[in-house]
Amino acid sequence: MEASISYTSNSQAILDGDRTALYFAPNLYRPPVNLRARIKDVLPFRDAMLALRDCIVSELYVSDREIADRQNDPVITVAPDRVFFEAFSRDESTYARLSLKVAALTEIEALQPGCTNIDFSDNLQRGLQQMRSTRPTYLDVRREEVAVRVSDRTVREARIVLPDTWVQGFLEVQSALRLPAVALTVHPQDLRNLLAYLKQRKTKISPRSLRFRLEPGQPPEVTVEPWNQMFCWQRSQHAANIATEIRIWGRRRLLLLEKILPHLKQVRVLLQGTGLPSFWIGDLGNLSFLLGLSAWTARDWTETEPDRVAQPTTPLSESQRNELLHFLAGKVSVVHHEITLALGWTDAEAIAGLNELCLQGRVLLDPETLHYYVRDLFPETAIAPHA
């Protein structure tokens, strides 16, 4: 898929008197998206953004040439009650999303919903590393005045070819989030102990999996192979109602959660089954950080049983599709029950319709609230408001 990008200046952090201003340069070829507000909890936001950056630049099975050809600018979606930053790793095996509740912001000067790419420059990373809790920090995402407020104005413009795997990967993740999964509620210290063990050890010997044993009424047990080191997560819980064993691979990617460990209140883990994707959702209060892992480190998201992940359970008819698009026009978010009530559809039809839109990049599922946010990942498929 060919796409156009144009950034006025690079995103960066600027010290302005006694405050820090984070300027995110949006893609000029996308509709305007404006957000100007102060961040309440500076340190959790800083570390979550740095974790997002770690995901963007991470790669384990990609050649230097492939890296040079890949465009990994994150996507920002602004809604009245949520702000989402999304990105893929360079090897496209890992998806990360930082979500901000509106309660994470104060002194909101502007909030114009929409979706756009943003430049995540090295300058921005360095500025994030210098953020301190003692300095008020402000977010500024707008294209109209970036050139005025940033003195070293430059325009970076290009036509790029987004890899089919990058495009499809974004869509697969949205669809996978709504699939059945066994949920775990993990205490931060239990996760911290596991990550510390993984960080100290590397091996090329198989198997290299995490094996979860879940017994009803018992705490989760996690075994690290091939060493067979078992961790009993006494402070954690799971929702399995029958004895279950699930194995996942690509465990070293969990180290991308290291930076947010000091701020975690709890972690919700969604295990979709042995050899299938897993999602790790860190609760940071008014922020959350989601890490989505494909089934194997050496595979991108498009190789994760696409027939299972991607296909809507019940394809919509053309008239149903038009009816759903008309209902969503002008809306910011929706839950599937609103569709059943408004359109007289069954739950299965509403969920299938929303899944179909996920696969087109038209809506974004928030697994915490189960709201579907209208967001046009590709401008040409945007859901237009009513005339």
Side-chain angles (χ1 to χ4, degrees):
M1 174 180 175
E2 190 176 72
S4 297
I5 59 169
S6 180
Y7 297 119
T8 302
S9 180
N10 290 324
S11 296
Q12 56 189 296
I14 296 179
L15 300 181
D16 183 8
D18 62 347
R19 65 185 230 168
T20 300
L22 295 177
Y23 294 99
F24 289 91
N27 184 0
L28 300 181
Y29 283 113
R30 300 294 300 264
V33 177
N34 288 347
L35 175 63
R36 299 194 299 279
R38 179 177 173 178
I39 302 168
K40 284 185 179 178
D41 301 315
V42 173
L43 297 187
F45 176 81
R46 177 198 67 186
D47 292 340
M49 286 298 294
L50 290 172
L52 185 75
R53 172 69 173 183
D54 287 346
C55 177
I56 292 171
V57 300
S58 68
E59 51 82 20
L60 295 175
Y61 292 92
V62 181
S63 68
D64 291 341
R65 180 175 180 180
E66 287 177 301
I67 289 173
D69 291 339
R70 293 190 174 184
Q71 179 71 31
N72 294 289
D73 289 341
V75 173
I76 181 173
T77 300
V78 176
D81 62 336
R82 287 284 195 283
V83 178
F84 302 98
F85 294 86
E86 303 174 82
F88 262 108
S89 60
R90 283 174 172 166
D91 59 14
E92 296 170 3
S93 70
T94 309
Y95 167 86
R97 180 197 299 175
L98 170 59
S99 304
L100 285 71
K101 299 177 184 177
V102 72
L105 305 173
T106 186
E107 300 178 28
I108 299 174
E109 297 179 23
L111 195 157
Q112 179 178 355
C115 173
T116 188
N117 308 95
I118 56 171
D119 168 64
F120 202 137
S121 64
D122 293 339
N123 286 339
L124 178 60
Q125 180 189 14
R126 288 189 289 270
L128 287 167
Q129 292 169 336
Q130 296 171 9
M131 286 171 56
R132 299 294 182 267
S133 60
T134 54
R135 295 180 62 88
T137 300
Y138 293 80
L139 275 177
D140 197 336
V141 183
R142 52 175 158 170
R143 71 181 192 180
E144 292 87 350
E145 299 180 38
V146 169
V148 175
R149 298 184 60 172
V150 180
S151 59
D152 56 340
R153 180 181 185 273
T154 59
V155 176
R156 176 162 65 89
E157 185 165 353
R159 286 196 70 80
I160 60 171
V161 177
L162 295 174
D164 290 341
T165 52
W166 187 94
V167 174
Q168 189 64 23
F170 257 101
L171 309 184
E172 296 288 355
V173 167
Q174 304 311 321
S175 187
L177 276 168
R178 53 161 292 276
L179 292 175
V182 178
L184 287 73
T185 302
V186 179
H187 190 279
Q189 188 58 48
D190 287 337
L191 178 61
R192 186 177 291 112
N193 293 339
L194 175 64
L195 296 188
Y197 185 85
L198 290 175
K199 191 173 183 179
Q200 295 168 5
R201 290 164 178 82
K202 292 184 180 180
T203 182
K204 295 184 179 180
I205 302 172
S206 294
R208 289 173 286 175
S209 70
L210 293 179
R211 189 169 72 243
F212 291 81
R213 286 198 179 98
L214 309 175
E215 293 275 353
Q218 299 297 317
E221 293 181 355
V222 186
T223 300
V224 185
E225 298 180 315
W227 303 284
N228 292 323
Q229 173 66 44
M230 193 272 285
F231 292 85
C232 183
W233 284 355
Q234 294 284 357
R235 290 158 287 200
S236 302
Q237 301 174 332
H238 64 85
N241 52 21
I242 60 172
T244 304
E245 181 172 296
I246 297 174
R247 295 171 74 189
I248 65 171
W249 282 262
R251 63 197 180 201
R252 290 196 65 81
R253 290 173 290 170
L254 290 175
L255 294 175
L256 292 168
L257 297 172
E258 265 194 309
K259 284 188 172 64
I260 65 170
L261 282 176
H263 312 293
L264 285 176
K265 300 182 181 299
Q266 69 176 26
V267 180
R268 185 165 173 246
V269 181
L270 304 178
L271 301 176
Q272 297 189 340
T274 295
L276 292 173
S278 63
F279 293 93
W280 302 67
I281 308 169
D283 178 3
L284 290 77
N286 288 323
L287 313 176
S288 66
F289 190 88
L290 183 152
L291 194 70
L293 308 181
S294 64
W296 308 87
T297 309
R299 293 183 182 178
D300 58 41
W301 267 90
T302 62
E303 296 182 274
T304 305
E305 291 200 16
D307 289 339
R308 177 180 184 271
V309 173
Q311 297 302 318
T313 52
T314 307
L316 298 184
S317 66
E318 187 64 28
S319 62
Q320 285 179 311
R321 189 173 298 109
N322 291 335
E323 190 178 14
L324 178 57
L325 292 175
H326 187 268
F327 173 75
L328 291 177
K331 294 187 180 298
V332 175
S333 68
V334 68
V335 292
H336 84 271
H337 294 301
E338 294 179 55
I339 297 172
T340 61
L341 291 174
L343 304 183
W345 290 11
T346 65
D347 284 347
E349 289 172 328
I351 292 171
L354 290 167
N355 188 41
E356 184 174 306
L357 295 183
C358 281
L359 290 168
Q360 296 171 3
R362 291 176 163 185
V363 296
L364 165 73
L365 172 61
D366 179 4
E368 297 176 85
T369 63
L370 298 182
H371 279 68
Y372 291 80
Y373 287 83
V374 177
R375 77 100 151 85
D376 51 312
L377 187 59
F378 314 117
E380 61 273 14
T381 65
I383 299 173
H386 297 308

